Amino acid sequence: MRQRHLLAVCLIATAQANANELDNLVNASQDIRNTFKYGIQAIAGMDSYAARGFIGPDGTVDQGLIDKAKQDAYNAAVVAVQNAEYSYDPNAQQYFNDEANTAMDVVSQAIDSYVEAAQVLIEVATINEMAQDAQEAQDDRQAMELQEYISANDVTLQDQEVEQYNDSLVAVQEATQVAAAYMAVANDETLLEQADDMAYDLRVTYQEAATSFFDVATQSMWVSFDGGSTIQGLALGNYFVSVESVLIEGETQEFFTSSPEGGCWFAADPEACYNNAP
């Protein structure tokens, strides 16, 4: 972060110096243009009058003549700009921050859809708990209670419900992969520098030209600045984790611990169970 701050300071100082050189070139070239304009206008007037027999006086074109001072000022300004070091910020940081935030919103929506689709499996979990109680009971009263619950509730799984659940689970996987990819780039100084270089070489910024997508097969974030005709990649292979790591991480997260499979959902006092959880 310190390096990027120092770079920003250097870019500001360079930009200020280069602005002076551009100011000089604008002023010197404008002086030449003003002289040029005068000459063209004088010729147009003299030509028009000549066709009708009217004569322009000596000195009419004097202000249209380029003097040595203007020539030297213009040439010096051109050389100064030619030798200057210009730079700009393609702003990959802001772009990938924004994309990461947008992608995380998609994750939230996907999880909401999953939770909705999972309601039928919460019913399955409830049936499982009741069946275990009946299995361990000394008599059939628990089994009879289970029968009554099944009769009073729609607990069977329909094809559409299973399909909706499976699709929603896959959608969460895909959404989190995309969000993680954008987040990885947004938080990696090296990848951000590579991303900036990609735009800088084409003299574009991310806000004005970039489109991007994450591809799991190539383990890369792909960026295009020309509508997709050409793409350039940012390698994210180092950011992949194992399935085992995902499950270990998930075991301690509230989404799991507060779920029917987290250990407290079916407890006699769920709140006390949550509070006493390690």
Side-chain angles (χ1 to χ4, degrees), residues 63-75:
Q63 293 186 48
L65 301 176
I66 300 174
D67 59 33
K68 183 63 173 175
K70 291 181 179 180
Q71 175 189 355
D72 290 345
Y74 170 73
N75 288 341

Side-chain angles (χ1 to χ4, degrees), residues 222-275:
W222 294 97
V223 182
S224 174
F225 298 99
D226 58 6
S229 297
T230 59
I231 57 175
Q232 302 179 64
L234 298 168
L236 299 177
N238 291 337
Y239 283 95
F240 276 75
V241 295
S242 67
V243 173
E244 181 182 10
S245 295
V246 170
L247 296 178
I248 291 174
E249 178 74 12
E251 192 174 20
T252 60
Q253 303 305 307
E254 184 179 3
F255 186 79
F256 175 76
T257 59
S258 62
S259 76
E261 301 305 326
C264 291
W265 185 283
F266 296 102
D269 188 344
E271 184 175 354
C273 179
Y274 293 139
N275 293 334

Side-chain angles (χ1 to χ4, degrees), residues 110-132:
I111 290 176
D112 288 344
S113 295
Y114 169 81
V115 170
E116 182 178 353
Q119 296 306 305
V120 293
L121 293 194
I122 294 177
E123 198 67 77
V124 172
T126 300
I127 292 296
N128 176 257
E129 289 287 329
M130 296 180 70
Q132 290 185 62

